[in-house]
Amino acid sequence: MEEGKNVGLATVEQLIEERNEHYLQRLFALLKQESISTMNKGVRECAELLKQVMEECGISSRLIETAGHPVVYGEWIKEENDFTVLIYGHYDVQPPDPIEEWESPPFEPTIRDGRIYCRGVGDNKGQLMAQVLAIKTMLDCYGELPVNVKLVFEGEEENGSPHLAAFVEEHKELLACDLVYTSDGPMHASGIPSVELGVRGILGVELVAHGAKWDHHSGNMGNIAPNPAWMLIDLLKTMRDEKGRVLIEGFYDHIRQPTDYELGLFRKLPFDREELIKQIGYPEFEADAETFYRQLSLEPTFNICGFHSGYGGEGSKTIIPARASVKMDIRLVVDQDPADIFQKFCAHVKKHAPDIEVLHQGEMKPSRTPADLEIISVIVQAVADAYTVEPLLVPGVGGSLPDYVWTQILGVPSVMVPYANADEANHAPNENMSVALFFKGISCTCHVLHRLGEFSQK
């Protein structure tokens, strides 16, 4: 950026305000295009549209094919710039079902009470477009950017990002950067902006038990035909004690212990027990702040997300079922490896119930960027500039994103700064994003680029 042009962002803020309606229409055009990756509905059309929008905003863009849906790649490069930031997001969305619970059509963006309602507005098209429009705003104000910018928008995040790791491995040179910046998910429930540095990984498994070849009358064959539901229950009891500790040998190996600095950051996070009780609908919740954040972000989970056997309809059907299955999602923390945990899980099943089948249902590695890196303080200051409040610095969150492809495959720091409101209802009917927060996201991205430019010139 030329001398004198980085003295402030007042012109940028003014331009964003002048273009409010124009930028909303840009967003609405993308929102109207369905892009449901799990159903392969409108995904390529959305990728083509996004590529066109990016090019119109001054970003050199192209589609890069994967074994699944294409990646929309864009870049703005100036050889003299010493710093490169890679912006990640996704243009695919969840299915809108159940349709009948939407107050307005799910793919017709509608503004009510200061919020945009549409599938994908918060997750992730609204946040994605805030990045793209910030670049356009900066280019229109200054004619250039203070740092090099690369953008990777995938079309399979809502399907578990099955091809993102291979894409990053194959294009390491193209994607080379100094930092990855992501805006996805909701802001903290307090409304205070946050800078998040890690996510839990996930391992999905299914256990399947078989009894007789078909269902039997529970009286005529009671005590004779085996019940596979009890087989699963007996096995599950060997995997976890009454306090919730997982009993699979080696399950807790390799977990990275948090630093004193990271623990101190967790203690600073807002905590409102009564509000949390309302959020989760569980009045017996009694954890204090430190326990809550530790269990949510620093400890693995061992969750049963589905259990099916026999008859579950109205009334009674007295049978001994022939089949029973349990689906589990196991959230993992740094440095647990999903492949290692799956092997240990299978070994445990083989030891205690060798006839029960184990199915692998997908995985994603955990990730965490050190909180004490100098570049993190730069992002924190940029977010504070944009929102005029000190953001929360969060070492890790409970959910799972493919953040590991940046920290482990590219080997660079990765930060997440959510732009959507805490109650965005992503994945649910009436998904929404605050209009004000959409524009604030554009502003925040401009501040981030500005601060990174200052950092690179030191």
Side-chain angles (χ1 to χ4, degrees), residues 65-123:
E65 299 298 333
T66 72
H69 299 307
V71 165
V72 185
Y73 173 79
E75 64 181 24
W76 190 94
I77 305 292
K78 182 180 179 181
E79 290 186 6
E80 292 87 346
N81 287 342
D82 296 326
F83 192 96
T84 300
V85 58
L86 187 152
I87 293 173
Y88 164 76
H90 65 93
Y91 64 88
D92 65 319
V93 304
Q94 284 277 316
D97 305 271
I99 300 291
E100 64 275 8
E101 293 187 17
W102 285 80
E103 293 183 23
S104 52
F107 290 102
E108 286 294 331
T110 304
I111 295 179
R112 295 194 303 272
D113 301 321
R115 297 190 183 204
I116 309 160
Y117 287 84
C118 193
R119 172 56 86 226
V121 64
D123 188 17

Side-chain angles (χ1 to χ4, degrees), residues 82-316:
D82 296 326
F83 192 96
T84 300
V85 58
L86 187 152
I87 293 173
Y88 164 76
H90 65 93
Y91 64 88
D92 65 319
V93 304
Q94 284 277 316
D97 305 271
I99 300 291
E100 64 275 8
E101 293 187 17
W102 285 80
E103 293 183 23
S104 52
F107 290 102
E108 286 294 331
T110 304
I111 295 179
R112 295 194 303 272
D113 301 321
R115 297 190 183 204
I116 309 160
Y117 287 84
C118 193
R119 172 56 86 226
V121 64
D123 188 17
N124 180 241
K125 291 179 180 177
Q127 305 198 55
L128 173 161
M129 281 297 291
Q131 318 281 19
V132 172
L133 294 172
I135 292 171
K136 176 171 177 55
T137 303
M138 294 284 279
L139 288 174
D140 288 350
C141 276
Y142 304 116
E144 60 183 9
L145 300 179
V147 293
N148 293 331
V149 178
K150 299 177 179 180
L151 304 100
V152 171
F153 297 137
E154 70 157 317
E156 299 184 312
E157 196 273 345
E158 299 294 4
N159 201 24
S161 301
H163 302 107
L164 184 62
F167 168 80
V168 175
E169 285 278 11
E170 184 179 350
H171 299 282
K172 277 185 180 180
E173 186 174 344
L174 175 68
L175 304 178
C177 62
D178 300 290
L179 174 75
V180 174
Y181 184 87
T182 300
S183 294
D184 197 357
M187 299 173 70
H188 191 272
S190 64
I192 301 173
S194 60
V195 177
E196 301 168 353
L197 303 179
V199 293
R200 288 196 286 203
I202 189 170
L203 169 65
V205 296
E206 183 175 8
L207 295 167
V208 182
H210 299 277
K213 291 185 177 180
W214 50 79
D215 294 352
H216 282 284
H217 187 291
S218 64
N220 293 344
M221 289 298 168
N223 295 331
I224 305 300
N227 191 315
W230 284 115
M231 296 178 196
L232 288 179
I233 291 170
D234 291 340
L235 172 61
L236 292 169
K237 288 172 68 176
T238 70
M239 293 182 165
R240 183 177 179 272
D241 67 18
E242 65 277 3
K243 294 183 179 180
R245 184 168 180 81
V246 178
L247 301 176
I248 294 172
E249 186 175 352
F251 181 82
Y252 293 100
D253 291 351
H254 313 301
I255 293 178
R256 186 192 307 174
Q257 295 305 308
T259 65
D260 289 340
Y261 178 57
E262 288 171 332
L263 289 175
L265 291 173
F266 278 117
R267 294 188 190 105
K268 292 179 181 178
L269 297 178
F271 179 78
D272 186 331
R273 180 176 170 273
E274 295 304 317
E275 186 60 34
L276 277 169
I277 287 174
K278 292 178 184 177
Q279 259 186 16
I280 63 179
Y282 182 58
E284 286 74 24
F285 174 76
E286 293 182 353
D288 57 22
E290 186 171 344
T291 302
F292 171 75
Y293 286 113
R294 187 188 73 245
Q295 292 181 339
L296 185 66
S297 306
L298 301 176
E299 296 181 3
T301 71
F302 200 70
N303 181 54
I304 296 173
C305 52
F307 197 133
H308 180 76
S309 184
Y311 178 71
E314 293 184 13
S316 178

